[in-house]
Amino acid sequence: MAAIVRISSVCHRGVKLQFYRSSLLARHLVTQQKDQDRSYLLTARIHGSSSLRAGSVSKAASLHWTGERVVSVLLLAMGPAAYYFPGPAIDYSLAAALTLHGHWGLGQVLTDYVHGEPKIKMANAGLFLLSTVTFAGLCYFNYNDVGICKAVALLWSK
């Protein structure tokens, strides 16, 4: 069974739809079976929730997602840079990027698995404390010891 749906007629980026309400929207689909040449009219329902209409929240989430991807790509680029050009700038950049990447990742785990207002607040406070201690520890290690780049090189050399 083949179905043809034109999503672009329903959603365009940056365009507020005039007919988009909190009620269910009905769109028609045309399908064909292989054995028969008759077309059947089906109805697909799209639920329009109020959270999808919040423009500023959607924009903030989009920017956050983009920031996560930028940090991920920077971490990929910092690997070879740390190998070929070890130094304090790369060490502190790695400390910041690794801490931020871990903070955002654990934040998503908390969002998925922690429920209830007091539990969420305690988990977020613990996450901020963990991220702060992690960043401070990495900066302390970079300043008072050999640094992240040379420490990884020493681990690989033995």
Side-chain angles (χ1 to χ4, degrees):
M1 177 187 293
I4 300 172
V5 180
R6 186 176 171 135
I7 299 293
S8 62
S9 66
V10 177
C11 300
H12 293 286
R13 277 195 175 188
V15 177
K16 286 191 174 184
L17 301 174
Q18 298 294 331
F19 60 87
Y20 192 73
R21 296 191 182 107
S22 62
S23 64
L24 296 177
L25 301 174
R27 303 304 274 170
H28 299 289
L29 303 175
V30 177
T31 64
Q32 283 187 335
Q33 291 184 344
K34 289 184 179 181
D35 299 343
Q36 302 169 352
D37 288 333
R38 296 182 304 206
S39 296
Y40 296 100
L41 187 63
L42 300 175
T43 303
R45 298 210 178 264
I46 301 170
H47 181 69
S49 65
S50 60
S51 65
L52 294 176
R53 286 184 272 151
S56 64
V57 173
S58 175
K59 181 72 171 174
S62 176
L63 289 175
H64 182 77
W65 185 87
T66 303
E68 287 177 343
R69 299 305 160 257
V70 167
V71 169
S72 297
V73 169
L74 283 175
L75 278 172
L76 287 173
M78 280 189 214
Y83 180 75
Y84 290 111
F85 310 107
I90 298 292
D91 286 337
Y92 286 103
S93 298
L94 275 170
L98 287 171
T99 304
L100 187 59
H101 185 72
H103 178 80
W104 281 339
L106 288 174
Q108 291 304 312
V109 171
L110 294 180
T111 299
D112 290 342
Y113 294 109
V114 177
H115 305 288
E117 191 66 28
K119 290 179 184 176
I120 292 173
K121 286 184 179 181
M122 287 180 55
N124 283 333
L127 176 62
F128 282 117
L129 180 66
L130 177 67
S131 297
T132 303
V133 169
T134 300
F135 182 66
L138 288 173
C139 287
Y140 179 84
F141 182 75
N142 286 337
Y143 187 75
N144 293 315
D145 209 338
V146 294
I148 297 172
C149 297
K150 291 199 193 244
V152 171
L154 287 173
L155 284 174
W156 283 347
S157 67
K158 292 183 180 186

